[in-house]
Amino acid sequence: MKTPIPDYLNEVLSTLREDTTGATASYIPELAEANPDLFALAVTTGTGSTYSAGDVDTEFSIQSISKPFAYAAAIMDRGIDRVLESIGVEPSGEAFNELSLEGGTHRPKNPMINAGAIATHGLLVGERADPEARVARTLSMFSQLAGRELRIDESVCASELATADRNLATAHMLRSYGILTSDPHEVVAGYTRQCSILVTVADLSMMAATLANGGVQPRTHERVIDTDVARQVMAVMATAGMYDGAGDWLTRVGIPAKSGVAGGLVGVLPDQVGIGGFSPRLDEHGNSQRARRAFERLSADMGLHLFAPSHGRLEVVGVQRESSREVFTLQGNVQFTAAAELLDLMADSTSLSEVHVDMSRVHSFTDVARRMTLEGLRRLRMDGRRIFINDPLQSLANPDLGDGTYPERS
Ligand code: GLU
């Protein structure tokens, strides 16, 4: 059998493809020219499995999605106290390019608006750092997060720099208040290069999965971000990531997220998954219309909401193969990640005639994990296998195998 997760992601893409509302970003000429029909989605679990669908090989500039990750770098380079001196953590409720400075301190309200992100870039590496070193810091950290060497799209960068009047005005204003200590032109040029780093949806989902893991890259097992810094970044994404729509987004969808004006969207659910989406047409808030709707679907279908009870995360999956049977074991509170692992194990399944699933030590299933497990059993049944379960708590509820039969008792 094949794991059903990519099929599900493809189904989400095909229902949303007909939505052609919105428009590509008009204020950056290179982005205005992007193919508006591109659409892709990727989910990476805390154990490093990536599932993706759509235009997964398309690279696009990261734009504002760079902001939370650069914020993480700045805190690691300068310490949280120094960063908080220059940039606040309050939602601004305003558009991304509003100045939104706090009265009194003149700090930008948060690092997700442009003013805060420009100040963040100016803090990278050290007080009198070389401008190139700041760009190099973001490029190497984002590459570590993605688990591959990323590069900068110089033509997107040049195109944005040619029309960067508003960001330059913002940087000059920050300098006049002493928030920025370096040359405003150099900082805007560096920030714009940071925004021009090219990524795919799989890169975004991997970067977010690293945050979800508290800073450890799920595939290389490298600690890229300190745990307390990852927590700070996720909290700011939750409250300020979606600009003027942040409150509506957090309550309804509940996936701390950050969008970019090239059409990217990244989402993170602590301890569970990182999600990447991409489609270039933007809604009135500057968020990708289709990627936003895809995240809404994932939240609704999979119960992926920050405040959905997850009952802790003690979950264990295993497989044993013996004579004519294959025994899959599930244990603990099973949610998306464990169910995805189970499906991967089932996809590698041999052709032994009996498939047993031992759920005797399962405390609970989230709804999506239950449906995923059942779908795996259905697919194995379609391959002609005999299905047995040991499910004393009847956690799988009504395990119809799709052909009118039910699993036998293990
Ligand atoms: N580089 C873009 C800017 O500074 C990023 C904006 C965004 O992605 O929302 O305007």
Side-chain angles (χ1 to χ4, degrees):
M1 72 159 240
K2 273 191 358 223
T3 174
I5 302 175
D7 296 349
Y8 166 72
L9 296 178
N10 270 312
E11 193 264 320
V12 173
L13 294 185
S14 62
T15 46
L16 295 176
R17 233 177 223 118
E18 65 195 29
D19 184 348
T20 55
T21 54
T24 53
S26 56
Y27 75 108
I28 301 176
E30 278 273 321
L31 298 185
E33 311 274 285
N35 172 359
D37 293 322
L38 293 167
F39 195 10
L41 206 50
V43 177
T44 295
T45 64
T47 48
S49 303
T50 299
Y51 309 93
S52 57
D55 300 298
V56 292
D57 297 324
T58 303
E59 291 188 313
F60 49 91
S61 52
I62 190 167
Q63 299 297 341
S64 280
I65 301 169
S66 67
K67 293 172 180 175
F69 300 104
Y71 183 57
I75 301 174
M76 302 217 334
D77 293 349
R78 307 297 296 276
I80 184 72
D81 294 341
R82 175 65 192 88
V83 172
L84 286 174
E85 256 173 47
S86 297
I87 308 152
V89 287
E90 297 304 331
S92 73
E94 282 167 333
F96 70 98
N97 55 6
E98 281 303 321
L99 202 44
S100 300
L101 302 186
E102 262 174 13
T105 65
H106 300 122
R107 295 183 307 176
K109 284 203 179 134
N110 64 66
M112 301 294 136
I113 51 171
N114 283 10
I118 292 167
T120 301
H121 188 88
L123 284 170
L124 288 169
V125 184
E127 187 65 39
R128 262 173 281 281
D130 182 59
E132 267 309 309
R134 295 196 169 119
V135 176
R137 170 76 169 116
T138 57
L139 189 58
S140 75
M141 190 210 216
F142 295 4
S143 299
Q144 273 180 301
L145 290 164
R148 71 176 186 107
E149 245 4 89
L150 303 178
R151 64 194 170 93
I152 293 173
D153 186 328
E154 298 295 348
S155 56
V156 167
C157 182
S159 170
E160 179 168 355
L161 269 180
T163 56
D165 303 299
R166 196 173 178 113
N167 282 341
L168 281 168
T170 301
H172 279 285
M173 186 65 80
L174 291 171
R175 166 104 171 175
S176 79
Y177 287 125
I179 298 290
L180 207 62
T181 50
S182 312
D183 172 46
H185 287 265
E186 272 175 12
V187 176
V188 170
Y191 160 76
T192 308
R193 298 196 83 205
Q194 165 193 316
C195 288
S196 304
I197 293 174
L198 288 171
V199 289
T200 64
V201 281
D203 294 330
L204 289 183
S205 69
M206 191 61 79
M207 294 169 82
T210 306
L211 276 181
N213 265 357
V216 176
Q217 217 275 7
R219 238 176 252 167
T220 63
H221 305 293
E222 194 182 353
R223 171 161 296 286
V224 188
I225 300 175
D226 296 337
T227 314
D228 50 348
V229 177
R231 190 188 65 184
Q232 174 81 10
V233 172
M234 289 188 279
V236 172
M237 277 172 81
T239 53
M242 295 299 268
Y243 303 128
D244 30 1
D248 173 58
W249 179 262
L250 186 60
T251 48
R252 211 163 37 77
V253 185
I255 302 175
K258 185 73 207 76
S259 65
V261 79
L265 187 61
V266 77
V268 52
L269 275 179
D271 263 350
Q272 295 196 58
V273 291
I275 311 171
F278 168 62
S279 198
R281 289 193 195 88
L282 309 179
D283 67 13
E284 71 277 17
H285 299 299
N287 301 321
S288 166
Q289 168 74 7
R290 286 165 164 178
R292 176 183 58 75
R293 290 189 59 198
F295 276 40
E296 290 172 355
R297 265 287 301 275
L298 296 187
S299 165
D301 292 353
M302 316 215 311
L304 292 178
H305 189 295
L306 183 60
F307 296 113
S310 63
H311 316 291
R313 218 202 112 188
L314 177 87
E315 43 181 39
V316 185
V317 188
V319 60
Q320 271 181 307
R321 299 187 167 113
E322 49 194 51
S323 58
S324 66
R325 45 192 234 153
E326 207 160 19
V327 184
F328 296 94
T329 312
L330 275 174
Q331 186 179 330
N333 301 307
V334 182
Q335 44 187 335
F336 177 81
T337 311
E341 255 177 77
L342 174 71
L343 290 173
D344 283 342
L345 288 173
M346 286 177 166
D348 289 339
S349 172
T350 59
S351 50
L352 297 178
S353 60
E354 293 183 9
V355 171
H356 293 249
V357 183
D358 181 0
M359 290 177 266
S360 58
R361 280 172 293 176
V362 166
H363 301 303
S364 66
F365 272 100
T366 59
D367 186 45
V368 66
R370 190 186 69 79
R371 284 186 283 136
M372 287 162 75
T373 304
L374 206 46
E375 180 60 26
L377 293 179
R378 284 186 183 142
R379 290 187 178 208
L380 289 172
R381 178 77 200 136
M382 263 169 20
D383 293 346
R385 320 282 292 276
R386 274 179 77 188
I387 311 292
F388 296 79
I389 59 174
N390 178 11
D391 183 15
L393 296 179
Q394 301 195 333
S395 316
L396 271 192
N398 180 31
D400 179 351
L401 291 174
D403 60 355
T405 68
Y406 286 81
E408 300 170 57
R409 289 257 291 274
S410 229

